[in-house]
Structures are given as C-alpha cells and as structure tokens.
C-alpha cells in the first residue's frame, strides 16, 4: 500500500514540476500558486482522509482534482516529453508534442468534467436474459431487478437520483428485487434523506439485500471503539424497516406452485484489504442438492475462489467493481484487477452476473454509466 501511495504522489507532483520548470517558472507568483494549488488540495484531502477525517466533501475534492486536473497534466507531460525525445532526431517534433499534449489534455479534461457533472446521473436500464436448461418451468420468464453499490452518502441530502432510480425499478415490474451490497459509504446516517424513496421498492416475491464492504461502516471516524459495529447494526435495522430481507449467510425459498428456486445471500467475501465475513456453507445448509440456486455475493472474485469449486450454485449476482466508473467500449482498467468485472460470465452451466452499480464513493462515471439490471430467467439452451 505504501508503494502505491508513493507512486500516486509522484504521478501527481512530477508533471506539475515538469510543466512549472519548463513553462511556468519565471511568470508571476500568482501563476505559480495557481499551478500548484490543485495538487496541494488533492494532497491535503488525501492526508485528511489518512488522519481519519473522512468526509464526502474531501472525496469530491480529491477525485475532481485527480480526474479533471492531475490526469490531464500527466497526459500533457507524456506527450510533451515524447515530442522532445523525438525532437532530438526530427525537427519540429518537440513543438508538435506540446500541441498534441495540449489537445489530449483538454479533451481528457472535458470528458472527465462531463463524467463528474453529468455522467453519474445518466441512469441506464439494461435487459439481460439468463438462460438455463434446468430452470424450473414455472420460473420461465421470471424477472429479477438487480441494483448494486448505491453509496447513498455520495448524494448527500439530494434525493433526486435515488428517487429516479426507484421509479425506474418499479416501472420494470419485477417479480423480485435484489440489492448486492454497499448501500452506504461510511455511516447509517447517510440513509436518512433517502429512506422515503427507498421504502417504495416493492415486488411480489420481496426485496432482498446482502452486505458489501462499505456497509460495515469501517471507513469513517467513530466516537467509540465499537462505533463501526453499532453503525453496521443500524444499517441492517434501517434496511429491515424499509421492508428489505437482509440475507446474512441465509437462504430463502421462492415457490411457484410445485416448482421452487432457492435464493442465497452471504455477507461480504473479499480479498484484503476488504473485510470478509461471509459463510457460504452456512447459507447453503439445508438446501437440497438438486435445487436451482441463485447466490447474492457482493464481490465477484468470490465466484472463482469458492462458489465454482465448492458448490453447485447455478447463478451468482455480484457488484463491487463499479467497472471503476470508467469504460471505453469494452475496456476498463477494472479488467487489470478483476477477471470478471461487468456483465454475464459462464463456466459450463454455471453463471456469474456482475453489475457495475448505480453509485460510487465519488460522483463520477464515464462510459460505465449507472445501471439498473433487469434479469429475465429463461428455460432452455443458449
């Protein structure tokens, strides 16, 4: 972790130093101050968070400066240095590198501004068919709406996005609604402005949720040693007040006449540094070997580590990745971290569906727009 922190600070400051030495030094003091100010704000926000002064305002400042200022500066520096390097052999390449750097930096800044101001509000409803040969006949055409990673604290007291999300989910007329974790950022109190809207979520077979790493409320300051655990209990209590069935390493059976499917839900199962409290064996206790099972598990890496090798679970629904809130076509840097990070994956007759989520710890999305997933179960073969 220390290595990545040092690398991040270097990537933040070295482009500033290069441009200042090459183009800004010698101008007015005001220009120098303005040039270094964004990086100073980003470092101050990072230091405050490291000291435990976590807040949504700090997160907003940090990510805005990072995306809309630091990354464009880095891109300009790369093109400028590349032009200077080529310029030792090709006349005029240095000037061309500067111009190309400015164009790329301005384009990146514009794209990231769009993602920061509008992209995170661009709610998309995606329809996906989940086809399985052994799906009980009565569930052919069964509609599940999945939403994930809402992170309501990022919206503050503004309920407009959550209200629009709920309206779109209700309009989809699902048989069941599932939420696959990370309802809050760091505190149960973040839910207060959004409880009225979220309470409107209803479906014939219920609303079910599982716990994500943020729901343990371990990322914010607390007034007592057991503050995070008390906040976590409050997150669960408020979900239950909404009418949601919080699955804590448990199962539920959904029936249609003589047919049935089993819904499993585990607490978060992750790799460090994320907490891991899930117990899949406990959730599956008493579930028949021939049951058609759907598992809610926040982190998709759980699928390959335990679900595939140790169970016969047919469909796993996850979130967590956000697709890093950035996607260009089929590319996202999330693919460097997670082998399954968005959409439907198959291994034989086993399936994993990963939602890129609806929210995020920072109000930014570009390409990986906020999503509501409408999953229709189909009986048959692909």
């Amino acid at each position: 972790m220390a290595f990545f922190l040092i690398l991040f600070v270097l990537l933040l400051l070295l482009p500033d130093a290069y441009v200042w030495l090459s183009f800004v030094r010698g101008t007015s003091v005001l220009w120098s101050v303005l040039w270094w100010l964004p990086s100073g704000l980003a470092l101050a926000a990072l230091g405050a968070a490291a000291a435990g002064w976590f807040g949504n305002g700090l997160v907003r400042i940090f990510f805005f400066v990072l995306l809309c200022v630091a990354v464009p500066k880095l891109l300009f520096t790369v093109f400028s240095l590349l032009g200077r390097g080529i310029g030792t052999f090709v006349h005029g390449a240095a000037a061309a590198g500067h111009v190309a750097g400015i164009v790329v930096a301005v384009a990146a800044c514009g794209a990231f501004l769009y993602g920061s101001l509008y992209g995170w509000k661009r709610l998309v409803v995606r329809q996906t068919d989940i086809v399985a040969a052994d799906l009980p006949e009565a569930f052919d055409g069964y509609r599940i709406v999945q939403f994930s990673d809402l992170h309501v604290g990022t919206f503050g007291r503004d309920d407009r996005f959550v209200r629009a999300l709920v309206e779109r989910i209700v309009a989809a007329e699902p048989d069941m609604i599932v939420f696959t974790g990370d309802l809050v950022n760091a505190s149960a109190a973040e839910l207060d402005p959004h409880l009225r809207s979220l309470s409107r979520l209803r479906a014939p077979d219920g609303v079910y949720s599982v716990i994500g790493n943020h729901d343990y409320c371990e990322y914010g300051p607390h007034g007592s040693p057991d503050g995070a655990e008390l906040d976590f209990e409050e997150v669960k209590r408020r979900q239950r007040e909404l009418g949601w069935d919080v699955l804590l390493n448990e199962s539920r059976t959904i029936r249609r006449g003589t047919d049935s499917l089993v819904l499993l839900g585990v607490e978060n199962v992750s790799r460090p540094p994320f907490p891991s409290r899930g117990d899949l064996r406990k959730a599956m206790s008493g579930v028949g070997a021939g049951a058609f099972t759907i598992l809610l598990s926040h982190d998709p890496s759980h699928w390959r580590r335990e679900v595939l090798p140790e169970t016969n679970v047919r469909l796993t629904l996850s979130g967590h990745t956000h697709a890093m809130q950035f996607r260009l076509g089929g590319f996202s840097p999330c693919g460097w971290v997670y082998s399954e990070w968005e959409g439907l994956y198959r291994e034989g007759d086993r399936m994993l569906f990963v939602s890129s989520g609806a929210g995020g710890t920072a109000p930014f999305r570009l390409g990986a727009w906020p999503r509501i997933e409408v999953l229709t179960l189909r009986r048959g073969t692909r």
Side-chain angles (χ1 to χ4, degrees), residues 142-147 166 169-178 198-208 242-245 254 256:
Y142 192 84
R143 290 163 63 85
I144 300 173
V145 165
Q146 177 195 10
F147 70 114
V166 169
I169 292 175
V170 171
E173 299 182 342
D175 296 294
M176 175 195 296
I177 299 171
V178 298
L198 291 172
S199 68
R200 294 178 51 216
L201 289 175
R202 292 287 185 271
D205 287 326
V207 181
Y208 300 88
L242 292 171
W244 299 11
D245 190 350
I254 312 299
R256 286 283 189 276

Coordinates of all heavy atoms in Angstrom, one line a residue, residues 142-147 166 169-178 198-208 242-245 254 256:
Y142 N -39.3 -15.3 -15.4 CA -39.3 -14.7 -14.1 C -38.3 -13.5 -14.2 O -37.2 -13.6 -14.7 CB -38.8 -15.7 -13.1 CG -38.9 -15.2 -11.6 CD1 -40.1 -15.4 -11.0 CD2 -37.8 -14.7 -10.9 CE1 -40.2 -15.0 -9.6 CE2 -37.9 -14.4 -9.6 CZ -39.1 -14.5 -8.9 OH -39.3 -14.2 -7.6
R143 N -38.7 -12.3 -13.7 CA -37.9 -11.1 -13.8 C -37.4 -10.7 -12.4 O -38.1 -10.5 -11.5 CB -38.8 -9.9 -14.3 CG -39.2 -10.1 -15.8 CD -40.4 -9.2 -16.2 NE -40.1 -7.8 -16.1 CZ -39.5 -7.1 -17.1 NH1 -39.1 -7.7 -18.2 NH2 -39.3 -5.8 -16.9
I144 N -36.0 -10.5 -12.4 CA -35.3 -10.1 -11.2 C -34.7 -8.7 -11.6 O -34.0 -8.6 -12.6 CB -34.2 -11.1 -10.8 CG1 -34.8 -12.4 -10.5 CG2 -33.5 -10.5 -9.6 CD1 -33.8 -13.5 -10.2
V145 N -34.9 -7.7 -10.8 CA -34.2 -6.5 -10.9 C -33.1 -6.4 -9.9 O -33.3 -6.6 -8.7 CB -35.1 -5.2 -10.7 CG1 -34.3 -4.0 -10.5 CG2 -36.0 -5.0 -12.0
Q146 N -31.9 -6.3 -10.4 CA -30.7 -6.2 -9.5 C -30.2 -4.7 -9.6 O -30.1 -4.1 -10.6 CB -29.6 -7.1 -10.0 CG -28.3 -7.0 -9.1 CD -27.1 -7.6 -9.8 OE1 -27.1 -8.0 -10.9 NE2 -26.0 -7.7 -9.1
F147 N -30.0 -4.1 -8.4 CA -29.2 -2.9 -8.4 C -28.1 -3.1 -7.3 O -28.2 -3.9 -6.4 CB -30.1 -1.7 -8.2 CG -30.7 -1.5 -6.8 CD1 -30.4 -0.5 -6.0 CD2 -31.7 -2.4 -6.4 CE1 -31.0 -0.3 -4.8 CE2 -32.4 -2.2 -5.2 CZ -32.0 -1.2 -4.3
V166 N -35.5 4.6 -8.0 CA -36.6 3.8 -7.5 C -37.8 3.8 -8.6 O -38.4 2.7 -8.8 CB -37.1 4.4 -6.2 CG1 -38.5 3.8 -5.8 CG2 -36.1 4.1 -5.1
I169 N -37.0 1.3 -11.3 CA -37.0 -0.1 -10.8 C -38.5 -0.5 -10.7 O -38.9 -1.6 -11.2 CB -36.4 -0.3 -9.5 CG1 -34.8 -0.1 -9.6 CG2 -36.7 -1.6 -8.8 CD1 -34.1 -0.1 -8.3
V170 N -39.3 0.3 -10.1 CA -40.8 0.0 -10.0 C -41.4 -0.2 -11.4 O -42.2 -1.1 -11.6 CB -41.5 1.1 -9.2 CG1 -43.0 0.9 -9.2 CG2 -41.0 1.1 -7.7
A171 N -41.0 0.7 -12.3 CA -41.6 0.6 -13.7 C -41.2 -0.6 -14.4 O -42.0 -1.1 -15.3 CB -41.1 1.9 -14.5
A172 N -40.2 -1.3 -14.0 CA -39.7 -2.6 -14.6 C -40.6 -3.7 -14.2 O -40.5 -4.8 -14.8 CB -38.3 -2.9 -14.3
E173 N -41.5 -3.6 -13.3 CA -42.4 -4.6 -12.8 C -41.7 -5.9 -12.5 O -42.1 -7.0 -13.1 CB -43.6 -4.8 -13.8 CG -44.4 -3.5 -14.0 CD -45.5 -3.7 -15.0 OE1 -45.5 -4.7 -15.7 OE2 -46.5 -2.9 -14.9
P174 N -40.8 -5.9 -11.6 CA -40.0 -7.2 -11.3 C -40.8 -8.1 -10.5 O -41.7 -7.7 -9.7 CB -38.8 -6.7 -10.6 CG -39.2 -5.5 -9.9 CD -40.2 -4.8 -10.8
D175 N -40.5 -9.4 -10.6 CA -41.1 -10.4 -9.6 C -40.3 -10.3 -8.3 O -40.9 -10.6 -7.2 CB -41.0 -11.8 -10.2 CG -41.8 -12.0 -11.4 OD1 -43.1 -11.9 -11.3 OD2 -41.3 -12.1 -12.5
M176 N -39.0 -10.0 -8.4 CA -38.2 -9.9 -7.2 C -37.2 -8.8 -7.4 O -36.7 -8.5 -8.6 CB -37.4 -11.2 -7.0 CG -36.4 -11.2 -5.9 SD -35.2 -12.6 -6.0 CE -36.4 -14.0 -5.7
I177 N -36.8 -8.1 -6.3 CA -35.7 -7.1 -6.4 C -34.6 -7.5 -5.5 O -34.8 -8.0 -4.4 CB -36.3 -5.7 -5.9 CG1 -37.4 -5.2 -6.8 CG2 -35.1 -4.7 -5.9 CD1 -38.1 -4.0 -6.3
V178 N -33.4 -7.4 -6.0 CA -32.2 -7.8 -5.2 C -31.2 -6.6 -5.2 O -31.0 -6.0 -6.2 CB -31.5 -9.1 -5.6 CG1 -32.5 -10.2 -5.5 CG2 -31.0 -9.0 -7.0
L198 N -36.6 4.9 -0.9 CA -36.2 3.5 -0.9 C -37.4 2.7 -0.4 O -37.5 1.5 -0.8 CB -34.9 3.3 -0.1 CG -33.7 3.9 -0.7 CD1 -32.5 3.7 0.3 CD2 -33.3 3.2 -2.0
S199 N -38.2 3.2 0.5 CA -39.3 2.4 1.0 C -40.4 2.1 0.0 O -41.2 1.2 0.2 CB -39.9 3.2 2.2 OG -40.6 4.4 1.7
R200 N -40.3 2.7 -1.2 CA -41.3 2.5 -2.2 C -40.9 1.2 -3.0 O -41.7 0.8 -3.9 CB -41.3 3.7 -3.2 CG -41.9 4.9 -2.5 CD -41.9 6.1 -3.5 NE -42.5 5.7 -4.8 CZ -42.1 6.1 -6.0 NH1 -41.1 6.9 -6.0 NH2 -42.8 5.8 -7.0
L201 N -39.7 0.7 -2.8 CA -39.4 -0.5 -3.5 C -40.2 -1.7 -3.0 O -40.1 -2.1 -1.9 CB -37.9 -0.8 -3.4 CG -36.9 0.2 -4.1 CD1 -35.5 -0.2 -3.8 CD2 -37.1 0.1 -5.6
R202 N -41.0 -2.3 -3.9 CA -41.8 -3.5 -3.6 C -41.8 -4.4 -4.8 O -41.7 -4.0 -5.9 CB -43.2 -3.1 -3.3 CG -43.4 -2.3 -1.9 CD -43.2 -3.2 -0.7 NE -43.4 -2.5 0.5 CZ -42.5 -1.9 1.2 NH1 -41.3 -1.8 0.7 NH2 -42.8 -1.3 2.4
A203 N -41.9 -5.7 -4.5 CA -42.0 -6.7 -5.6 C -42.8 -7.9 -5.0 O -42.8 -8.1 -3.8 CB -40.7 -7.2 -6.0
P204 N -43.6 -8.6 -5.8 CA -44.4 -9.7 -5.3 C -43.6 -10.7 -4.5 O -44.2 -11.2 -3.5 CB -44.9 -10.4 -6.6 CG -44.9 -9.3 -7.6 CD -43.7 -8.4 -7.3
D205 N -42.4 -11.1 -4.8 CA -41.6 -12.0 -4.1 C -40.6 -11.4 -3.1 O -39.8 -12.1 -2.6 CB -40.9 -13.0 -5.0 CG -41.9 -14.0 -5.6 OD1 -42.9 -14.4 -4.9 OD2 -41.7 -14.4 -6.8
G206 N -40.7 -10.0 -3.0 CA -39.9 -9.4 -2.0 C -38.7 -8.6 -2.5 O -38.3 -8.7 -3.7
V207 N -38.0 -7.9 -1.6 CA -36.8 -7.2 -1.8 C -35.7 -7.8 -0.9 O -35.9 -7.8 0.3 CB -37.0 -5.7 -1.5 CG1 -35.7 -4.9 -1.8 CG2 -38.1 -5.1 -2.3
Y208 N -34.6 -8.2 -1.5 CA -33.6 -8.9 -0.7 C -32.3 -8.1 -0.9 O -32.0 -7.5 -1.9 CB -33.4 -10.3 -1.2 CG -34.7 -11.1 -1.1 CD1 -35.6 -11.2 -2.1 CD2 -34.9 -11.9 0.1 CE1 -36.8 -11.9 -2.0 CE2 -36.1 -12.6 0.2 CZ -37.0 -12.6 -0.9 OH -38.2 -13.4 -0.7
L242 N -37.2 -0.7 5.9 CA -37.7 -0.5 4.5 C -38.5 -1.6 4.0 O -39.1 -1.5 2.9 CB -36.4 -0.2 3.6 CG -35.6 1.0 3.9 CD1 -34.4 1.0 3.0 CD2 -36.5 2.3 3.5
G243 N -38.5 -2.8 4.7 CA -39.1 -3.9 4.2 C -38.2 -4.9 3.4 O -38.7 -5.8 2.8
W244 N -36.9 -4.6 3.5 CA -35.9 -5.5 2.8 C -35.6 -6.7 3.7 O -35.5 -6.5 4.9 CB -34.7 -4.7 2.4 CG -34.8 -3.5 1.5 CD1 -36.0 -2.9 1.1 CD2 -33.8 -2.8 0.9 NE1 -35.8 -1.9 0.3 CE2 -34.4 -1.8 0.2 CE3 -32.4 -2.9 0.9 CZ2 -33.7 -0.8 -0.6 CZ3 -31.7 -1.9 0.2 CH2 -32.3 -0.9 -0.5
D245 N -35.4 -7.8 3.0 CA -35.0 -9.0 3.7 C -33.4 -9.1 3.6 O -32.9 -9.4 2.5 CB -35.6 -10.2 3.1 CG -35.4 -11.5 3.9 OD1 -34.6 -11.5 4.8 OD2 -36.1 -12.5 3.6
I254 N -38.3 -19.6 -2.9 CA -39.3 -18.9 -3.6 C -40.1 -19.9 -4.4 O -39.5 -20.7 -5.1 CB -38.7 -17.9 -4.6 CG1 -37.7 -17.0 -4.0 CG2 -39.8 -17.0 -5.3 CD1 -38.2 -16.2 -2.8
R256 N -43.4 -21.3 -6.9 CA -44.4 -21.1 -7.9 C -45.1 -22.4 -8.1 O -44.6 -23.3 -8.8 CB -43.8 -20.6 -9.2 CG -43.3 -19.2 -9.2 CD -44.5 -18.3 -9.4 NE -44.1 -16.9 -9.6 CZ -43.8 -16.0 -8.6 NH1 -43.8 -16.4 -7.4 NH2 -43.4 -14.8 -8.9

